[in-house]
Amino acid sequence: MKGYELYLAIAYLVLGPFVGGLIDGVSRKVTARLQGRVGPPIIQPFYDLRKLFSRKLDPVNSLQMPLVVSHFIFAVATGFLIFEGSDILLIIFVLTLAAIFLVLAAYSTGSPFSAIGADRELIMMTAYEPMVILTLVGFFKVAGSFHFGDIAAVGKPTILLLPGIFLGLVFVLIMKLRKSPFDISTSHHAHQELVKGLTADLGGPALGLVELADWYESVYLYGLVFLFFSWNPIAAVLGPLATYFIIILIDNVTARVKWELALTSAWIVAIVAGVGNLIPFYLIARVVH
Amino acid sequence: MSAIEKSPWLIHYDASSCNGCDIEVLACLTPMYDAERFGCIVTGDPKQADIFLITGSVNNLNIPVVKNIYEQMPEPKAVVAIGACAYSGGVFAECYNVQGGVAKVIPVDVYVPGCAAKPESILDGVVRAAQILAEKKKAMRKARRAARHAESPAQEAAK
Ligand code: SF4
């Protein structure tokens, strides 16, 4: 099992940008179609990235770039550790650290827009992190293991055992992928109240790295979605695809919420759906022992 | 085709226009006219922008803002001056406090005619500006290569 997981993690490192870029490109195309327009080509994100990296590096201070690079490394490492089947604690630490580095990079610029964006990103982190932990705990309860390969090969319909956790993970996905209604720290959509929020004052290659890190993140996040459907080959394909389209739909039909609502709704979902979903597992364990 | 031509990101600033042209700029960025099919993204951050969409005749108070935005944009960059005001001051040309055209403050690459300019012609201006960006990028590369070639004989002579 171990060797196969290492291959999976290496495949993630190599193919991550291509898959992540396509995920982004298709979602832009689908969004355009939902709005009744042609939209950009599906490979538009790759054009954008190529342009960003062709720009001259021009950071606003000497701290910004090291922080952005650290963000990138840790964001990629999170996915690597997930696919490689590492310790859950380590994954949570690395995931948090990646986000913190981006927040620090935003604070370092001194721009009021990126500072507010950074504040909001911190709020988003407190909103999504409990649910990330609950998700991984839920997988452990079903599969008895934190290893990606073990969970994928568990042979049980995980989605039916963890419907609440799945709902919570969709919330986390919307937040982590910076989709509406939770795109309060920075947004992929045109003009918002914070200019570019978290990524304001990041230009050229620095923005390119943040973008690339986002792509890697979307790959491992959809990897987690896949785990819910892995018991059946058809579900394994249709499940993540359906989730993907539902998230794009939500992105298009909702307006951005205030941070209070983002935080409270995420916590309510985490407590009601997430914890509520886990309670039976503990009760059953009691009865059995 | 250079990458910049396929991904021209826009920044929009209203330098004392009557807002007529700005409404058209915003219209041209709505789903109806679909600027994104050319790879355009509207960004509020000059550091991320390639094309500067500017309307209005520029008054004495916003000269520093216009210059600031322009200077923060990375090379190569293009400026699209939209409407009669941005060209010559338009109906405001006689006012005591206006510059009478964007070109008095920063170099302009494309003029979009009209009072107000139509969204279709603004889009046309953006596409033209994207081509100009590609040409500028090519010129920059050439200049860099030429500089490198000019250096090497000198270095050999130094040896
Ligand atoms: S060109 Fe006409 S519509 Fe445009 S800003 Fe000037 S006066 Fe207004």
Side-chain angles (χ1 to χ4, degrees):
Chain A
M1 213 72 216
K2 202 69 200 158
Y4 140 76
E5 279 181 336
L6 194 62
Y7 287 131
L8 189 68
I10 291 169
Y12 157 80
L13 283 188
V14 179
L15 300 176
F18 300 100
V19 180
L22 280 181
I23 288 177
D24 192 20
V26 172
S27 90
R28 278 171 74 174
K29 193 76 181 173
V30 173
T31 298
R33 283 293 152 86
L34 284 174
Q35 295 171 352
R37 57 190 171 90
V38 179
I42 285 171
I43 51 170
Q44 183 64 38
F46 299 105
Y47 292 140
D48 292 346
L49 201 73
R50 219 178 93 202
K51 179 201 73 180
L52 288 171
F53 281 117
S54 77
R55 288 293 202 194
K56 214 176 85 206
L57 188 59
D58 189 14
V60 290
N61 57 39
S62 56
L63 197 58
Q64 192 183 24
M65 215 41 210
L67 289 171
V68 168
V69 172
S70 310
H71 163 68
F72 173 75
I73 292 172
F74 280 93
V76 175
T78 312
F80 186 86
L81 294 173
I82 287 178
F83 287 119
E84 191 253 348
S86 261
D87 193 288
I88 180 171
L89 271 179
L90 188 63
I91 292 171
I92 300 282
F93 284 145
V94 176
L95 179 108
T96 314
L97 208 54
I100 288 287
F101 274 121
L102 187 59
V103 168
L104 286 178
Y107 276 132
S108 82
T109 63
S111 148
F113 299 115
S114 39
I116 300 178
D119 288 347
R120 291 185 176 187
E121 182 70 10
L122 284 177
I123 293 167
M124 294 314 276
M125 285 170 65
T126 53
Y128 65 66
E129 229 150 75
M131 198 57 233
V132 175
I133 299 174
L134 288 176
T135 305
L136 297 177
V137 172
F139 283 143
F140 182 79
K141 283 289 155 198
V142 169
S145 160
F146 288 129
H147 292 261
F148 190 91
D150 294 348
I151 303 168
V154 68
K156 290 185 229 168
T158 313
I159 177 78
L160 300 179
L161 296 172
L162 300 172
I165 299 266
F166 180 71
L167 183 72
L169 185 68
V170 171
F171 251 70
V172 170
L173 273 172
I174 299 175
M175 292 180 171
K176 282 291 280 176
L177 300 174
R178 309 192 202 295
K179 298 279 190 200
S180 185
F182 299 131
D183 52 350
I184 60 172
S185 66
T186 181
S187 168
H188 291 300
H189 292 295
H191 266 319
Q192 59 152 323
E193 70 278 14
L194 291 182
V195 186
K196 273 285 159 191
L198 193 64
T199 54
D201 262 347
L202 285 175
L207 187 67
L209 267 186
V210 173
E211 198 78 352
L212 202 56
D214 279 356
W215 294 0
Y216 272 111
E217 283 192 330
S218 62
V219 172
Y220 74 68
L221 288 169
Y222 281 110
L224 292 182
V225 172
F226 160 79
L227 288 181
F228 284 93
F229 300 96
S230 61
W231 90 97
N232 175 313
I234 298 171
V237 175
L238 291 184
L241 268 183
T243 315
Y244 175 62
F245 285 111
I246 287 170
I247 287 175
I248 296 174
L249 190 66
I250 293 173
D251 184 38
N252 273 284
V253 298
T254 53
R256 189 172 297 134
V257 298
K258 291 185 181 169
W259 69 264
E260 292 94 335
L261 187 57
L263 186 60
T264 45
S265 62
W267 275 70
I268 288 171
V269 168
I271 291 170
V272 175
V275 178
N277 199 168
L278 285 179
I279 288 173
F281 286 97
Y282 284 96
L283 290 181
I284 293 166
R286 269 283 150 80
V287 173
V288 171
H289 287 300
Chain B
M1 204 185 227
S2 116
I4 198 159
E5 192 176 348
K6 293 204 166 175
S7 156
W9 291 9
L10 314 172
I11 185 164
H12 166 216
Y13 180 67
D14 169 349
S16 64
S17 84
C18 80
N19 279 355
C21 282
D22 297 286
I23 289 170
E24 301 304 322
V25 168
L26 296 180
C28 128
L29 304 172
T30 54
M32 170 95 183
Y33 295 97
D34 191 19
E36 203 191 2
R37 79 195 124 121
F38 302 115
C40 297
I41 289 182
V42 185
T43 166
D45 187 347
K47 287 198 182 66
Q48 299 171 5
D50 308 294
I51 297 177
F52 187 7
L53 302 180
I54 179 164
T55 62
S57 54
V58 186
N59 69 23
N60 295 341
L61 276 181
N62 58 35
I63 293 173
V65 182
V66 172
K67 282 192 174 155
N68 191 357
I69 294 176
Y70 182 76
E71 273 153 21
Q72 280 193 59
M73 288 170 64
E75 291 287 352
K77 52 192 160 192
V79 176
V80 181
I82 295 162
C85 288
Y87 173 60
S88 65
V91 288
F92 301 113
E94 305 286 299
C95 289
Y96 65 93
N97 60 341
V98 302
Q99 289 291 311
V102 174
K104 300 250 165 79
V105 186
I106 53 171
V108 174
D109 298 281
V110 182
Y111 286 104
V112 176
C115 173
K118 281 172 141 187
E120 291 91 340
S121 50
I122 296 174
L123 268 187
D124 204 30
V126 168
V127 172
R128 183 74 196 101
Q131 291 163 357
I132 291 176
L133 276 177
E135 283 159 23
K136 284 190 179 179
K137 181 91 199 172
K138 220 193 261 166
M140 272 171 74
R141 260 197 221 125
K142 222 184 202 167
R144 214 178 308 144
R145 221 174 297 136
R148 221 176 306 147
H149 279 296
E151 245 171 44
S152 46
Q155 280 167 351
E156 271 166 34
K159 278 180 212 160

